[in-house]
Amino acid sequence: MNNIIIIGAGKGGAALLRIFCDDKEIKIIGIAEINPESPALELARQYNIPITNDFLSLLENKDIDAIFNVTGSKEVEKLLTERKPENCEVIGYEGSKLIIKLIDERKKNIQEIEKHIKKLEEINEKLKETDNIKTNFVSTVSHELRTPLTSIKAFAEILLSNPDEDLETRKEFLTIINNESDRLSRLINDILDLSKIEAGKIEWKLKRIDLGVLVQQMLSSFQVLASEKRVRLEAEVFEDIPAVYADKDSLIQVLTNLLSNAIKFTFPQGRVRVEIKFTEKPICGVLVSVSDTGIGIKEEDIEVVFEKFSQISSDLMTDKPQGTGLGLAISKQIVTRYEGKIWVESEFGKGSTFYFVIPSGKPAKKVAKEEVVVKKKREEKLILVVDDEVNACKFLSYHLFMKGYKVIEAHNAEEAIEKTRTYLPDLITLDVIMPGIGGFDVVSILKNDPQTRDIPILMVSIIDEKNKGYCFGANAHINKPVDKSELIKKVAVLLDKKEKKKILIADDDQGIVKAIGYTLNQKGYQTIEAYNGEEALNKMISELPDLVILDIIMPKMNGYEVIQKMREKPETKNISIIVLTAYNIKEGKVRALSLGAVDYFTKTNELEYLYKEIEEILG
């Protein structure tokens, strides 16, 4: 153990006391201070450390290993150096400060290490939990698949072993086999649906949907099932319900799961009621509720009702519930995909109400027609700026307005889509992250609408996901915080591209490039030249042309390789390609078209047809 004394009980002495008092390797055998009001003295009393106003008396102890002089006095420093015990080290004011700093840093490092260890332990626990979930899932799937399969195999073997079985028995067994086959098919389909949703491999066809109309259609299709169970179906659709942008099939799947469960668990003469209304809580959107007067759910089961293979049974039911136990888990995945929320409220024995809300934003405020001139009558370029942050909108609008553009704004996805369809702007700047429907979904909706698909879209985002944007159909990308010069440059390029279609001519024959370029320029196209495969690929990425005329035999990279690399890159994979070659290569046309070219011409006598094809492609 190291024995130390501290000379001076000011701030420096207090800092040393706080550090050393809890250190089991250090013993403070005294502290010297002439000012009775010094801050360290009260702390020293708490730790029963001897206090004196005569620091020289402390030097009588020959077991001192170190003396910390935090007075800053040169005279005290001199006396300590002269009278200190042998092998005792004197540490001055600056040295004390450095030690305090180092010890503080050491403590912080230890705390950080402990914090990271705790995080690693939490991650390890989650990994164990995930492993258990996976094991349980595989075990449950195996059990659920084997159950109907066992019945199918058993009854099939009975029929095969007893070909003379009476007709009624055979019919009964075949009905069981058929029902169990249907059950097995539903289970496999549900597992595939769930895995596709979780892996993000479902193709969502987003469009404007009136949930009120959709629910009425669903109720009609469930009327027969409800009549068989003698259950009454009701619906109420409140006024001023905004449309949602979603995949219709996925919402049908959610409604099917909720309605079929409600009817299944409701006693005869009971009621199932559906309500649709606009809500701002828990999130802003369209709220759908499905209520029943059925068996209800026990409180302990409510927490697990949306888990995979969770089948809630009850003493009130005479039969085991039929189904895969995946319907509500799939419904939750779908609603979560739209950044919505799904939940249940229930009282055992009295019924349940399942709710889900799909974000829509507030009903879009109608833009007065006189606010902006529609496309056919206006002279200046109109740009729609879309961002849920008001200040971000103002920043973009100001700089675009100062460059002479007409600007309108939208602050959510619904408003953006409505204004795009109303005014057909010449360009859209679009934020990626917005509440409810995000920017990528907006791109998907607009690019799949013949009326709006040709409008250039500049994605503006704090996250660098330009490849994903290109896959959805965006034309360019810019990161936040936005650089004004880059913004204006990209807007100008996109507007110029919209006015004048770009065609890249890639051929090592300069004469043919110049000749075709001249003709296309005369026809109103903008042309870009490249004289080898590598140059062609680089210019495609930098210029993003609307069409590429591509020779096959070129230096550095041949035409087939260029097509392959184009199709691998998100920003170039959708560019149309016409192959133009001097030689009619055997099977060359088949290979070019299979790689993704839209047509194949020779240079000898087909240039007239080439120009006609270009006009058809670029419209």
Side-chain angles (χ1 to χ4, degrees):
M1 181 175 289
N2 294 315
N3 297 317
I4 68 168
I5 63 173
I6 299 172
I7 313 298
K11 290 182 180 179
L16 286 171
L17 275 173
R18 279 192 291 271
I19 288 170
F20 292 142
C21 281
D22 295 325
D23 195 323
K24 293 179 181 179
E25 299 297 319
I26 292 175
K27 181 181 178 182
I28 304 173
I29 60 176
I31 183 167
E33 176 57 59
I34 58 174
N35 180 7
E37 303 298 325
S38 290
L41 296 183
E42 183 58 35
L43 189 61
R45 293 186 188 99
Q46 290 176 19
Y47 283 92
N48 296 318
I49 296 170
I51 300 170
T52 180
N53 56 12
D54 179 12
F55 70 89
L56 293 177
S57 63
L58 293 175
L59 303 182
E60 295 173 3
N61 190 325
K62 302 301 180 185
D63 295 326
I64 299 171
D65 296 296
I67 301 169
F68 287 85
N69 174 26
V70 291
T71 63
S73 167
K74 295 292 183 183
E75 185 179 344
V76 172
E77 189 90 18
K78 183 180 176 184
L79 287 170
L80 288 173
T81 305
E82 291 172 354
R83 303 191 186 187
K84 69 179 178 67
E86 193 176 352
N87 298 325
C88 174
E89 187 176 355
V90 177
I91 300 166
Y93 182 74
E94 292 300 326
S96 299
K97 276 174 61 179
L98 180 60
I99 288 172
I100 291 168
K101 183 181 176 183
L102 291 172
I103 293 175
D104 276 342
E105 287 179 357
R106 178 173 169 268
K107 281 188 174 180
K108 285 178 184 176
N109 289 336
I110 291 170
Q111 288 172 354
E112 280 295 313
I113 291 168
E114 288 173 349
K115 186 176 169 184
H116 288 306
I117 289 171
K118 189 177 178 182
K119 276 189 179 179
L120 286 171
E121 287 172 350
E122 288 173 359
I123 291 168
N124 189 44
E125 286 301 316
K126 284 182 180 178
L127 287 172
K128 286 180 182 177
E129 186 181 335
T130 303
D131 192 52
N132 288 335
I133 290 170
K134 185 184 79 172
T135 303
N136 292 337
F137 180 75
V138 170
S139 174
T140 309
V141 169
S142 175
H143 170 75
E144 292 292 333
L145 289 173
R146 286 174 187 275
T147 302
L149 197 57
T150 301
S151 296
I152 293 167
K153 191 172 186 298
F155 285 104
E157 285 177 351
I158 291 171
L159 290 174
L160 288 169
S161 303
N162 301 280
D164 298 327
E165 191 65 70
D166 65 274
L167 185 61
E168 202 59 41
T169 302
R170 290 175 67 191
K171 184 178 178 183
E172 180 189 351
F173 289 176
L174 286 170
T175 301
I176 292 171
I177 290 172
N178 185 59
N179 290 339
E180 291 296 277
S181 297
D182 287 343
R183 179 182 168 193
L184 187 62
S185 177
R186 287 195 304 271
L187 177 61
I188 291 168
N189 287 336
D190 282 348
I191 291 170
L192 290 174
D193 283 347
L194 192 63
S195 62
K196 282 180 183 177
I197 293 169
E198 289 180 340
K201 292 183 179 178
I202 290 278
E203 184 180 348
W204 304 89
K205 297 175 182 176
L206 301 173
K207 60 182 180 180
R208 189 182 181 93
I209 295 173
D210 186 329
L211 266 174
V213 173
L214 184 61
V215 166
Q216 293 289 358
Q217 293 170 351
M218 295 293 297
L219 288 176
S220 298
S221 65
F222 273 92
Q223 199 64 55
V224 174
L225 178 62
S227 298
E228 288 176 357
K229 288 267 314 211
R230 288 177 290 157
V231 172
R232 188 170 76 256
L233 289 180
E234 300 175 353
E236 182 175 3
V237 180
F238 287 75
E239 295 181 356
D240 299 324
I241 305 297
V244 298
Y245 287 91
D247 177 81
K248 185 177 180 180
D249 291 339
S250 68
L251 291 187
I252 287 174
Q253 195 168 5
V254 174
L255 289 165
T256 298
N257 288 330
L258 297 184
L259 285 168
S260 59
N261 282 348
I263 294 170
K264 181 184 356 178
F265 292 107
T266 299
F267 300 114
Q269 311 305 325
R271 174 179 61 86
V272 172
R273 178 180 174 81
V274 184
E275 283 189 5
I276 308 168
K277 61 184 179 181
F278 176 76
T279 183
E280 294 187 354
K281 292 181 180 180
I283 53 178
C284 198
V286 179
L287 176 68
V288 179
S289 63
V290 179
S291 305
D292 63 65
T293 57
I295 63 171
I297 304 170
K298 292 178 181 177
E299 190 175 345
E300 61 267 24
D301 290 331
I302 287 178
E303 293 180 4
V304 299
V305 76
F306 291 103
E307 291 184 4
K308 300 162 191 169
F309 296 106
S310 173
Q311 291 181 312
I312 306 301
S313 59
S314 169
D315 300 335
L316 301 176
M317 293 187 68
T318 55
D319 299 322
K320 182 182 183 296
Q322 296 296 309
T324 63
L326 289 173
L328 290 176
I330 291 171
S331 299
K332 184 177 181 180
Q333 291 283 354
I334 291 170
V335 172
T336 303
R337 159 66 178 77
Y338 297 119
E339 297 183 12
K341 186 176 180 182
I342 187 168
W343 71 99
V344 61
E345 294 174 1
S346 182
E347 186 176 350
F348 185 62
K350 293 188 178 180
S352 306
T353 301
F354 281 83
Y355 301 88
F356 72 91
V357 58
I358 301 295
S360 68
K362 293 185 178 179
K365 183 183 175 183
K366 296 289 183 183
V367 182
K369 290 277 185 181
E370 59 270 16
E371 284 184 22
V372 59
V373 182
V374 294
K375 185 175 182 180
K376 290 181 181 178
K377 296 179 182 178
R378 65 175 179 254
E379 294 180 2
E380 69 275 47
K381 298 295 181 188
L382 176 67
I383 297 176
L384 172 61
V385 174
V386 184
D387 202 307
D388 62 311
E389 294 181 12
V390 176
N391 290 336
C393 259
K394 284 182 179 177
F395 172 83
L396 295 171
S397 298
Y398 172 79
H399 289 297
L400 293 170
F401 176 77
M402 293 303 289
K403 278 292 176 181
Y405 300 116
K406 181 79 175 177
V407 182
I408 55 174
E409 297 179 2
H411 300 290
N412 59 56
E414 292 77 14
E415 189 182 0
I417 294 165
E418 183 178 357
K419 286 187 175 180
T420 301
R421 288 173 173 161
T422 302
Y423 300 114
L424 297 176
D426 298 284
L427 182 137
I428 301 168
T429 72
L430 180 63
D431 186 24
V432 170
I433 301 174
M434 293 187 290
I437 301 173
F440 295 129
D441 292 333
V442 174
V443 175
S444 178
I445 291 165
L446 295 179
K447 291 298 182 181
N448 283 288
D449 185 339
Q451 187 185 15
T452 59
R453 66 187 175 197
D454 292 329
I455 299 172
I457 297 176
L458 172 60
M459 301 298 287
V460 182
S461 175
I462 199 165
I463 55 174
D464 189 5
E465 290 200 41
K466 59 184 176 184
N467 288 346
K468 187 175 178 181
Y470 291 140
C471 288
F472 277 88
N475 301 86
H477 181 279
I478 189 170
N479 285 331
K480 288 182 178 180
V482 175
D483 178 83
K484 180 189 74 172
S485 302
E486 187 182 4
L487 168 72
I488 299 303
K489 181 181 177 183
K490 290 205 171 183
V491 166
V493 168
L494 288 173
L495 287 173
D496 180 61
K497 181 177 182 290
K498 188 173 185 296
E499 289 300 310
K500 216 172 186 180
K501 299 287 186 180
K502 282 186 186 178
I503 300 175
L504 172 65
I505 308 164
D507 198 310
D508 59 330
D509 185 335
Q510 292 194 21
I512 198 75
V513 170
K514 297 294 182 186
I516 293 173
Y518 176 82
T519 304
L520 291 175
N521 289 333
Q522 293 297 308
K523 290 178 177 288
Y525 298 109
Q526 180 184 349
T527 57
I528 308 155
E529 299 174 357
Y531 297 103
N532 62 62
E534 282 187 5
E535 185 184 7
L537 199 60
N538 291 333
K539 287 194 174 179
M540 275 181 235
I541 294 169
S542 62
E543 299 287 343
L544 293 176
D546 299 281
L547 176 75
V548 175
I549 299 171
L550 186 67
D551 188 20
I552 291 296
I553 301 172
M554 290 188 295
K556 295 190 178 180
M557 191 185 296
N558 67 45
Y560 297 127
E561 292 172 319
V562 172
I563 298 173
Q564 284 178 318
K565 294 208 176 281
M566 280 178 69
R567 296 309 183 219
E568 290 170 2
K569 296 181 180 295
E571 58 265 57
T572 59
K573 72 175 187 178
N574 295 318
I575 298 174
S576 299
I577 306 163
I578 295 177
V579 169
L580 181 67
T581 179
Y583 308 100
N584 198 351
I585 304 167
K586 186 179 180 182
E587 298 181 353
K589 184 172 185 177
V590 173
R591 185 179 177 189
L593 295 179
S594 66
L595 287 171
V598 296
D599 217 328
Y600 184 98
F601 294 98
T602 59
K603 298 175 184 176
T604 51
N605 56 2
E606 294 186 340
L607 290 183
E608 183 181 346
Y609 298 106
L610 169 69
Y611 298 133
K612 285 183 180 179
E613 180 70 8
I614 290 170
E615 287 177 7
E616 284 186 20
I617 292 171
L618 298 182

